[in-house]
């Protein structure tokens, strides 16, 4: 059907849920909608506080709900691990082996439905921002643990030959950090550091971080799934100047 749009599904935790908050400026969700306008519907399924255990339980139902006889999920951007990476004593924690198993389940379900996958690995964490008003939760997270889960996402993506966007390394590179430099965001280092302009509370994203995510998701799509490159996917229906009579549009709608 001419107006049956296939879909791009954004599936993740609060960073995906908040990816439409334009109060902060540039956001990942609207940017994806804009670049696929008239090509695919972009569906947001972000759930604040959820981890990969929750995601693995939900994925089949979400895929079923977004699949119809005329509309399929073409691409899933899967972003979990930020909550999994809390310390084992915290309720959101998921050990790395199970985190990777959960991602395997999500990838398998998506691929069975014919969807391509981009896995997004967790970004860095800034202790000094996070503890403001959260002193009782100060030791739940560290940027070192976040990097370990980002590494796990990279390993899993390589194993399954799917695209990966390693946000820990990409944000750190964007702010000028290099391997061997002091790691911004650690409790023992200065509170003033460049991460503060990427993270609004030490964890969630400002526009600069969403820009890094968007640019690298599109880069990954072009490299791994060129048929889904927004520049290649055709728009629905002819451009207005080609509609020289109502019959032209009627024919296109058939």
């Amino acid at each position: 059907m001419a107006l049956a749009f296939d879909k791009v599904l954004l599936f993740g935790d609060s960073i995906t849920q908040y990816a439409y908050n334009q109060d902060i400026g540039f956001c990942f969700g609207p940017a994806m909608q804009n670049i696929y306008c008239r090509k695919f519907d972009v569906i947001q399924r972000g759930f604040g506080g959820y981890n990969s255990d929750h995601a693995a339980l939900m994925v089949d139902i979400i895929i079923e709900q977004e699949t119809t006889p005329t509309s399929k999920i073409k691409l899933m951007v899967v972003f979990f691990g930020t909550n999994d990476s809390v310390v084992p004593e915290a309720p959101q924690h998921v050990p790395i082996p199970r985190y990777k198993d959960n991602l395997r389940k999500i990838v398998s379900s998506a691929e069975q439905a014919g969807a391509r996958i981009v896995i997004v690995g967790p970004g860095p964490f800034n202790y000094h921002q996070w503890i403001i008003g959260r002193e009782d939760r100060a030791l739940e997270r560290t940027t070192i643990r976040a990097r370990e889960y980002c590494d796990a996402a990279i390993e899993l993506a390589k194993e399954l030959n799917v695209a990966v966007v390693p946000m820990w390394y990409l944000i750190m590179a964007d702010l000028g950090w290099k391997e061997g430099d002091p790691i911004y965001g650690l409790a023992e280092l200065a509170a003033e550091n460049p991460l503060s302009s990427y993270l609004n509370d030490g964890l969630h994203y400002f526009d600069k971080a969403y820009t890094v995510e968007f640019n690298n998701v599109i880069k990954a799509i072009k490299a791994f799934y060129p048929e889904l490159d927004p520049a290649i996917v055709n728009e629905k229906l002819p451009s207005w100047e080609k509609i020289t009579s109502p019959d032209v549009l009627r024919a296109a709608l058939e």
Side-chain angles (χ1 to χ4, degrees):
M1 295 179 64
L3 287 177
F5 283 78
D6 288 324
K7 298 167 183 175
V8 175
L9 182 66
L10 312 181
F11 186 31
D13 55 31
S14 57
I15 296 175
T16 299
Q17 180 175 333
Y18 301 156
Y20 284 75
N21 177 17
Q22 296 179 78
D23 289 343
I24 65 171
F26 182 94
C27 269
F28 178 66
M32 290 293 288
Q33 288 182 314
N34 179 63
I35 204 166
Y36 280 115
C37 182
R38 284 183 62 176
K39 299 176 180 183
F40 295 137
D41 281 342
V42 178
I43 307 298
Q44 185 253 36
R45 292 294 179 265
F47 302 88
Y50 280 39
N51 60 26
S52 67
D53 282 348
H54 302 121
L57 286 172
M58 298 164 62
V59 63
D60 288 330
I61 296 172
I62 288 175
I63 289 173
E64 180 181 359
Q65 290 177 336
E66 297 301 332
T67 301
T68 74
T70 59
S71 178
K72 312 296 182 186
I73 300 170
K74 290 292 189 178
L75 177 72
M76 284 181 63
V77 180
V78 178
F79 191 176
F80 289 95
T82 300
N83 294 318
D84 302 62
S85 68
V86 296
V87 296
E89 296 78 18
Q92 294 165 298
H93 172 72
V94 175
I96 283 177
R98 195 164 84 233
Y99 170 61
K100 294 172 77 172
D101 284 343
N102 288 336
L103 289 180
R104 285 190 192 93
K105 160 63 178 169
I106 294 166
V107 171
S108 175
S109 293
E111 290 184 338
Q112 287 177 35
R116 301 292 199 177
I117 295 287
V118 176
I119 293 174
V120 182
F125 170 73
N126 195 2
Y127 170 86
H128 294 284
Q129 283 180 290
W130 179 252
I131 63 170
I132 299 171
R134 298 185 183 88
E135 288 78 4
D136 59 329
R137 300 173 59 189
L139 301 180
E140 279 187 355
R141 301 174 181 271
T142 73
T143 198
I144 299 301
R145 290 185 62 83
R147 180 170 64 173
E148 290 170 354
Y149 280 72
C150 189
D151 288 340
I154 295 168
E155 292 166 4
L156 192 280
K158 289 180 179 178
E159 173 192 322
L160 300 181
N161 193 30
V162 298
V164 64
V165 174
M167 288 298 290
W168 197 97
Y169 294 97
L170 292 169
I171 289 176
M172 295 293 279
D174 198 65
L175 56 80
W177 180 86
K178 301 181 295 299
E179 197 68 53
D181 290 347
I183 296 176
Y184 301 124
L186 291 174
E188 59 268 29
L189 296 183
E192 294 295 325
N193 68 71
L195 277 174
S196 298
S197 64
Y198 288 78
L199 307 175
N200 66 21
D201 60 359
L203 180 70
H204 299 100
Y205 287 2
F206 272 142
D207 55 346
K208 290 177 73 171
Y210 280 126
T211 300
V212 172
E213 182 183 6
F214 173 74
N215 288 340
N216 283 280
V217 165
I218 297 302
K219 181 179 178 180
I221 291 167
K222 291 181 177 183
F224 273 75
Y225 317 121
E227 73 279 9
L228 301 180
D229 181 345
I232 292 174
V233 180
N234 291 326
E235 289 187 344
K236 294 285 187 178
L237 301 183
S239 57
W240 70 269
E241 68 272 12
K242 294 181 180 179
I243 303 175
T244 54
S245 73
D247 289 339
V248 174
L249 183 56
R250 288 192 190 98
L253 287 168
E254 291 177 356

